[in-house]
Amino acid sequence: MRRPNSFQEPQLPLMDPAPAVPAMMAPVAGRVPSYIKDHRKRLRDRFMSGGAAAMPDYEMLELVLFRAIPRADVKPLARALMDRFGDFNRVLSADPERLKEVAGIGDSVITDLKIVEAAAHRMARSRVIDRPVMSGWDAVIDYCHTSMAHRETEQFRVFYLDRKNILIADEEQARGTVDHVPVYPREVVKRALELNASALILVHNHPSGDPSPSEADIAMTAQIETAAQVLGLTLHDHIIVGKSRELSLRAEGFI
């Protein structure tokens, strides 16, 4: 009697294991766990009763993250963002590509962060646009700080004013690197003529955090002032925005 041929099951190719999903982003089956719901309610109640002053930066981030990540504990992600970027404002203003480097950050989170950033800028801008600038100088400084203090690269902007010193345009003229931004005085004054402006304020930021003017800053300001005077324009000031304070070149005697 012949023995049956031995049979061996074919070997299937091994597959790579599925990439691990960060615990903070893992989906939760069924309802949201009660401890997460309770934590979120406590934060929301504290915010509504005490405002932002009652919340440390990482908890403010948690409140923003609740909408984009509705079914998970977002505290570890808020802490990770704080560790990476330093504070709430720098998280909001961070470049989307850098945000994506943090585990657990996806498009929905980035969108919500950028919406909050845009809302803050728009509210600050509403306090200065179409209003007399020289009588509302504190609002101008607040707007400059909100929109520029936490940027990671230099930005050069010009506020154009009419004869009554009402702000008629706020325009970005150039973006640069972490320590340099190209500025063309001829383009600055040319744009003033196009807008029928009578005066201007220069603004740029120092990502290093120190608003002290460089020799290049002082020289560029002098060039724009000279070009403006030739055309009958007034250069009111050049504001340099640092992380925690701003510096006026006029107050420092450079204009």
Side-chain angles (χ1 to χ4, degrees):
M1 187 172 178
R2 296 176 58 187
R3 297 177 58 189
N5 294 331
S6 62
F7 176 79
Q8 184 175 6
E9 292 186 358
Q11 294 292 320
L12 296 176
L14 295 177
M15 298 182 66
D16 292 333
V21 178
M24 68 188 78
M25 296 293 293
V28 180
R31 295 187 302 174
V32 179
S34 59
Y35 77 92
I36 292 178
K37 292 176 64 176
D38 292 344
H39 174 67
R40 292 186 175 208
K41 184 178 186 304
R42 283 195 299 271
L43 287 191
R44 288 183 174 121
D45 289 347
R46 184 143 49 88
F47 176 77
M48 293 306 296
S49 62
M55 316 289 290
D57 277 3
Y58 79 91
E59 288 185 341
M60 284 292 294
L61 275 178
E62 284 191 73
L63 290 171
V64 176
L65 294 171
F66 285 170
R67 180 177 177 275
I69 307 172
R71 304 180 66 79
D73 180 5
V74 297
K75 183 183 291 186
L77 182 54
R79 291 285 195 181
L81 287 166
M82 289 291 298
D83 290 343
R84 180 64 177 273
F85 297 103
D87 60 35
F88 181 78
N89 294 313
R90 286 185 180 271
V91 172
L92 294 183
S93 59
D95 183 87
E97 292 304 314
R98 290 199 63 204
L99 287 168
K100 288 180 181 178
E101 295 172 1
V102 178
I105 292 291
D107 290 341
S108 61
V109 170
I110 292 173
T111 298
D112 281 3
L113 292 175
K114 291 305 171 184
I115 288 172
V116 174
E117 181 191 22
H121 290 180
R122 184 163 294 189
M123 289 182 67
R125 186 174 186 271
S126 70
R127 297 178 59 200
V128 298
I129 197 70
D130 295 328
R131 300 188 182 191
V133 166
M134 306 312 291
S135 61
W137 194 248
D138 288 345
V140 172
I141 296 299
D142 287 345
Y143 173 48
C144 293
H145 182 85
T146 299
S147 59
M148 300 178 73
H150 304 283
R151 293 179 59 89
E152 296 179 336
T153 57
E154 285 199 15
Q155 179 191 47
F156 179 75
R157 296 164 71 170
V158 182
F159 295 166
Y160 293 100
L161 314 166
D162 67 10
R163 294 183 182 278
K164 295 181 180 180
N165 285 324
I166 291 177
L167 181 63
I168 56 176
D170 161 23
E171 297 187 352
E172 177 186 274
Q173 294 289 318
R175 295 187 185 187
T177 63
V178 294
D179 59 3
H180 173 72
V181 61
V183 177
Y184 304 100
R186 181 177 178 179
E187 295 300 317
V188 172
V189 296
K190 176 183 175 183
R191 182 58 176 154
L193 295 178
E194 293 173 350
L195 293 168
N196 197 29
S198 297
L200 51 151
I201 299 171
L202 312 178
V203 189
H204 86 280
N205 64 308
H206 281 180
S208 67
D210 180 3
S212 301
S214 66
E215 292 298 323
D217 293 336
I218 296 169
M220 177 265 290
T221 304
Q223 291 171 7
I224 293 179
E225 183 179 27
T226 299
Q229 288 175 345
V230 170
L231 297 174
L233 303 170
T234 300
L235 176 61
H236 282 311
D237 209 339
H238 182 174
I239 301 168
I240 302 179
V241 180
K243 182 178 179 181
S244 58
R245 67 185 181 94
E246 292 72 43
L247 180 142
S248 160
L249 264 67
R250 179 170 291 281
E252 296 295 316
F254 294 110
I255 297 176

